[in-house]
């Protein structure tokens, strides 16, 4: 995203819907970093990163060639003298760590998923930073409940502004679901996405979460909050076409509709077929002779050459 911002800054006369021809399928509003950050400091920050890249011996890219051919090509054009090593997805190269609390949460999440039918569950997690207000939280809860789709929802402490955990939920909400929903404070995301019961992922569209979903062949509903997440969401929905980009107001009927589009309608089945194709390419790129494996060998040779 920083590379995109450095190469393109919207002018005052461009509308938010104006396509960014250098970076299809993005629009101006998908990269509106300056809307929420001080312009001078943003340019200083991006310039400092650019300077560090130009002074570096190489750039490690947490992605793989088949997923981001265009972005890698632009990076090569901009940094002609700097070798670039797309060796991802990095999370596939090392197991996730877990402590005692996470182990308990892991057991609860996975044991609940074990009771569900294949591809029937929508997994919901908005990352470790985002906070939402109580009204949006309730709209999400009712939208998910009304969809009639089983769900595993990570509500971390602090997710809801002014609440410790799930206190804004109406009394008896979980009991009303009759076992169709499971709300936890933490879940082992990689393990959850790999579980055969999970058929969709409602995500904040952070890059790690996006990659993890692609690696397990799980279509997404994208709910971005930060500028880089908006770029990721747009690529998920309009370039790779493996999910929906939630540009609507958080309202229960829209939420219900989006979940059903991904989980039970033909549109969702088409997304699943496309993301399974991307998953197959991930599996191949990490094998000996695959693009990421080759990039890793080049990286090792590059380091040893100094």
């Amino acid at each position: 995203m920083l590379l995109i911002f450095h190469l393109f800054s919207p002018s005052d006369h461009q509308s938010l819907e104006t396509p960014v021809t250098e970076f299809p399928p993005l629009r101006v509003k998908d990269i509106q970093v300056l809307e929420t950050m001080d312009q001078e400091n943003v340019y200083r920050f991006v310039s400092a990163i650019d300077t560090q890249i130009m002074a570096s011996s190489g750039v490690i890219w947490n992605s793989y060639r088949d997923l981001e051919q265009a972005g890698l090509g632009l990076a090569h054009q901009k940094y002609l003298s700097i070798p670039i090593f797309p060796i991802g997805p990095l999370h596939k190269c090392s197991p996730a760590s877990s402590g005692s609390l996470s182990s308990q949460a892991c057991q609860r999440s996975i044991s609940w998923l074990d009771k569900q039918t294949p591809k029937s569950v929508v997994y919901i997690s908005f990352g470790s930073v985002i906070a939402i207000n109580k009204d949006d939280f309730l709209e999400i809860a009712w939208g998910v409940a009304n969809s009639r789709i089983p769900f595993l929802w990570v509500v971390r402490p602090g997710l809801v502004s002014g609440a410790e955990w799930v206190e804004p939920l109406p009394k008896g909400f979980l009991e009303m679901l009759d076992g169709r929903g499971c709300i936890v404070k933490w879940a082992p995301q990689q393990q959850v996405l790999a579980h055969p019961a999970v058929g969709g992922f409602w995500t904040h569209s952070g890059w790690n979460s996006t990659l993890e979903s692609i690696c397990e062949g799980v279509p997404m509903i994208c709910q971005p909050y930060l500028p880089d997440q908006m770029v990721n969401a747009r690529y998920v929905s309009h370039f790779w076409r493996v999910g929906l980009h939630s540009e609507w107001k958080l309202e229960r009927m829209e939420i219900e509709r989006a979940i059903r589009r991904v989980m039970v309608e033909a549109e969702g089945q088409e997304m699943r077929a496309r993301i399974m194709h991307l998953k197959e390419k991930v599996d191949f790129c990490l094998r000996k002779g695959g693009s990421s494996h080759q990039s890793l060998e080049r990286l090792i040779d590059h380091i040893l050459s100094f």
Side-chain angles (χ1 to χ4, degrees):
M1 194 280 290
L2 288 171
L3 173 65
I4 288 175
F5 176 76
H6 186 78
L7 294 178
F8 175 84
S9 295
S11 60
D12 293 337
H13 68 276
Q14 289 178 303
S15 75
L16 295 180
E17 295 292 338
T18 299
V20 180
T21 56
E22 300 95 328
F23 300 99
L26 299 183
R27 303 153 299 176
V28 169
K29 70 179 182 181
D30 296 317
I31 49 178
Q32 281 288 291
V33 183
L34 297 184
E35 289 292 312
T36 55
M37 300 175 70
D38 176 76
Q39 180 172 343
E40 183 178 349
N41 285 334
V42 167
Y43 277 114
R44 188 180 297 119
F45 174 62
V46 174
S47 179
I49 290 178
D50 194 52
T51 299
Q52 291 299 316
I53 291 176
M54 295 301 294
S56 71
S57 299
V59 177
I60 296 173
W61 194 296
N62 184 21
S63 189
Y64 62 102
R65 191 174 300 155
D66 282 331
L67 187 66
E68 294 196 272
Q69 288 267 16
L72 287 165
L74 287 167
H76 279 296
Q77 290 176 27
K78 179 170 175 58
Y79 304 110
L80 288 174
S81 61
I82 310 299
I84 293 174
F85 305 98
I87 64 173
L90 294 177
H91 76 275
K92 298 288 284 185
C93 303
S94 60
S97 60
S98 61
S100 58
L101 175 62
S102 61
S103 295
Q104 294 172 9
C106 173
Q107 184 177 10
R108 183 185 174 199
S109 301
I110 301 304
S111 62
W112 183 83
L113 286 172
D114 287 342
K115 300 173 186 176
Q116 311 306 313
T117 57
K119 307 299 181 189
S120 66
V121 174
V122 59
Y123 168 59
I124 307 166
S125 178
F126 300 135
S128 57
V129 176
I130 302 304
I132 60 178
N133 62 47
K134 292 181 182 179
D135 289 340
D136 286 345
F137 179 70
L138 287 174
E139 289 300 310
I140 292 170
W142 284 115
V144 172
N146 293 342
S147 75
R148 310 298 298 174
I149 300 295
F151 65 91
L152 173 63
W153 186 5
V154 177
V155 180
R156 58 176 172 77
L159 172 68
V160 185
S161 301
E164 291 187 13
W165 192 37
V166 295
E167 304 89 281
L169 288 177
K171 186 176 180 180
F173 177 83
L174 287 175
E175 291 75 11
M176 175 198 71
L177 297 172
D178 194 25
R180 192 163 39 83
C182 179
I183 299 180
V184 295
K185 294 181 178 179
W186 183 88
Q189 182 159 291
Q190 293 175 31
Q191 194 173 347
V192 166
L193 289 170
H195 197 284
V198 174
F201 181 19
W202 189 0
T203 171
H204 65 303
S205 295
W207 183 241
N208 287 336
S209 292
T210 300
L211 268 185
E212 288 166 7
S213 202
I214 289 172
C215 287
E216 302 304 336
V218 179
M220 287 164 268
I221 300 171
C222 300
Q223 189 73 47
Y225 289 89
L226 301 175
D228 63 310
Q229 298 165 6
M230 295 174 188
V231 172
N232 298 338
R234 185 69 176 175
Y235 270 82
V236 165
S237 62
H238 284 75
F239 189 72
W240 302 313
R241 296 188 298 143
V242 295
L244 302 177
H245 183 180
S246 168
E247 298 187 84
W248 55 81
K249 181 181 178 182
L250 277 173
E251 194 273 328
R252 63 190 69 182
M253 290 184 64
E254 294 286 356
I255 292 167
E256 175 187 350
R257 173 72 176 134
I259 291 173
R260 297 195 63 82
R261 283 173 66 187
V262 169
M263 296 297 294
V264 299
E265 296 183 8
E267 182 181 11
Q269 298 307 310
E270 293 167 0
M271 294 175 190
R272 192 178 314 283
R274 285 189 286 266
I275 203 167
M276 286 302 295
H277 183 62
L278 292 179
K279 178 184 185 299
E280 291 170 2
K281 290 182 177 292
V282 169
D283 296 339
F284 180 77
C285 80
L286 294 170
R287 298 176 192 162
K288 186 174 182 179
S291 61
S292 292
H293 187 273
Q294 290 178 351
S295 291
L296 180 59
E297 290 185 327
R298 287 195 302 108
L299 174 60
I300 292 170
D301 292 341
H302 187 65
I303 292 173
L304 293 176
S305 68
F306 288 97

